[in-house]
Amino acid sequence: MWEALTFQAGHNAAVVAAGCIAFGLAAGAVGCFVLLRGRALIADAAAHATLPGVAGAFLLGLALGLDPRALPWLLAGGGLTASLAVLAANALARGGRVKDDAAIAVALSVSFGLGAVLLSVVQALPVGGQAGLSGLLLGRAAGMAEADAWTMAAVALVALAVLGALLRPLSALLFDPLQASLAGLPVKALDVALLGLMLLVVLAGLPAVGLVLVVALLIVPAAAARLLTARLPAMAALSAGFGAGSAHLGVAISAAAPGAPTGAVIVLVAVAVFALALLASPRRGLVAALRRRAALLAAARAAAR
Amino acid sequence: MSFAALDLVPLLAAMLACLACGLLGNLLLLTRQSLLGDAVSHAVLPGIVLAFLVTGSRDAAPMLAGAVAAAFAAALLVGVLTRAARLSPQAAMGIVFSGFFAVGVVLLETGVGRRVDLDLDHVLLGQLDTLVWPAATGWASLLDPDALAALPPELLLIGAVAVAVPLLFAALWKELRLLAFDPDFAAVTGFAPRALSALLLAALAVACVAAFWAVGAILTLAALVVPPVVARLLTRSYRAQVLVSAIVALVMGAGGVLLAGVLPAALGQDWAVSGAGMVAVVGGVLVLAARLAARESG
Amino acid sequence: MSPVPVALPLPALSLRGLSVAYRTDAVLWNVTWNSPPAGLVAIVGPNGAGKSTLLKAALGLIPRLAGEVRFFGAPLAAVRRRVGYLPQRAAVEWDFPATALDVAAMGRYPRAGWFRPLPRAEREAALAALAEVGMQDVAHRPIGELSGGQQQRVLLARTLAQEPDLFLMDEPFAGVDAATEEAIVGVLQRLAAAGRCVIAVHHDLSTVPRAFDHALLLNREVIASGPAATLLSPENLARAYGRRMSA
């Protein structure tokens, strides 16, 4: 594990680590905006809805004679179905009878079900490569191909670049949505852009973290950063750092203990970081809050006497 | 082998699991807490796995206890995070249930000795196809006490839950309706919303365990949200909402299993697609149909 | 609490040292106040003064930091039947599948008790409560289809159906049309005449002297309390609102 952490475990492992770190940076940075804008649930739905696209792309690739396991091809399929699922959720909630949370939950579970059906078709076929598909459920960094790691890194860096370009309008939107729309910012377009960024991050995370748990990497590092600072630039930087650190450490641990799926280990590292921040944060941490609350309680009791 | 031996139990399991979850799901839908269904269905995993690891068996009692304990621990943590960490409930739930699910997965895959045959695939996608009933020789076995005693225990658990949930609704009909509509008024008039909510959380955890065997952790959400959503699109009264959701749940469960296995077999194919997945897909078709019907009637 | 002489009627609501905090901000601080045993009482004060918080904390809907609450000299659990609650209209989920009668009937649930379906007699009583506020004609309409004023009256019918001695109302006149306002005022006057106590959080200072008997002026702490006609003096308002108000 130490070798993996310090990039000494071989060229392939180093590239995989780099890809995961790139993903972690993007997930943390984009995650700030997802968290603060309350889009965690729809990110989860999009992640689960990549499954039918990934399995469908595999089947289509077989039928067309392409390499069905090529990661960019699979991710393209996943991105397509994820986008459709988000649109379907919006369409279902239009009209007001079905609220947003229920509509998103329907989209999430039905698309995952469709994905499960297609996955079972893939698994019934006498073709190799299915293991690669089920690795996208919970992540598998061990044995990841170098090309896949480069794909991860590429998608993550695109997301970071787009985020950088939209940083100022997105920050304004977050700070005060009403003010932003009055100032002429295209709020709807920005929200769509944020969904797009979120989708890119989800796709980048599929090989290492898997679609079931990737949403955690969007919210946990951001939540940890929020406990430590209220200023958006610092929060985004801190969150990106936490994301990258969790991914890197998680992959290294997972390589040393190959039983557990990588995604689960990475998430647990991120949660541990969050827990530390929660306990220790001087402003918003648990210890500080309990102390303030105790003081307030004592004062109230004294006043009542 | 006959239909009774291979397909009857999965059919019943799916129908009854959807029924239990679909009924409880109404209360989640009407209080805008569909996310809680997602959360609990994920959060119960470490409880179930720990029960296996500790007792070394698939007995229902420790498994249910583990699931309920996990659900309450998760709810407690969500409360702490919302208050102490100033997180939105949505974010707090996401963090807690991802963390719990990750713990469950790690325990499962690295559990000491992996003593019980619970597979990660089954966790995600259910294990309807393993619920066989070898003692059955035909439909007559339903009346044969020896054969009935050999039913898979998972089905008995699901059956018990599918009976308990409607009884719960019948006994506490007006209390649950009041709790969903206006918990503050329930508190003032002495109808103990906190105790009832705790009871519902336990019931939800139990229903998630029942559905877990049929459709796995993730598709339990489909059983929880689809029947209520369809009913909401088609009905206007609370009673109709609950009744229609029950019917939709049964149709969804049956349709999914029949299309997944029985249909390909009837067409001469020797493979079957994921039953759990088909249950969710049939659910999706029902939602689509209901949405179109609702739009037609304005 | 110091013993109250038996001969005097007990205050409907009695607060001693009530403090409530939201996270680490005190929204109510050391409120000590006794309501009269009957009559119409208005709770007024600027936004964020803790008026709704006072009602909710008294009813145990939000936790209190310190202090004691008594209804007719007893804790709430002992006298639930005598305390009615009308929440803010905005706090209710109006999309819920229920008719006006369904909602009004909820006020009769305590009489039916746990586990039992609501008897016909109680549904009749709920219908009568709807009639008291002029809503009997919409008894079977879904609440989502009602106007704001109608919704407010349905909620009031629910509280009336409880047949309590004390009514705690949170902004009963907020955002209602003239017909509804008239109906509610009529109900309040009938209640006062029947010897009930109504404590209402009220947002419109100008109507307090003529519509209410007593008032409590609040801004996180008690500023003043007493007869409605004289309470809203310029000095008191200045202390509650800062320098600019006059009634």
Side-chain angles (χ1 to χ4, degrees), chain A residues 96-97 99 289 292-293 296-297 299-301 303-305, chain C residues 16-17 19 21 23-26 29-30 65-66 93 95:
Chain A
R97 289 227 89 195
K99 303 295 180 205
R292 281 196 300 265
R293 182 88 180 176
L296 197 61
L297 190 61
R301 294 231 175 94
R305 242 173 270 123
Chain C
R16 194 172 84 99
S19 294
R23 295 201 169 123
T24 50
D25 296 320
W29 194 255
N30 198 19
L65 215 46
E93 180 65 68
D95 277 335

Side-chain angles (χ1 to χ4, degrees), chain A residues 30-48:
Chain A
V30 172
C32 270
F33 295 86
V34 169
L35 179 72
L36 293 173
R37 199 88 179 109
R39 297 274 187 263
L41 183 57
I42 199 144
D44 201 20
H48 283 72

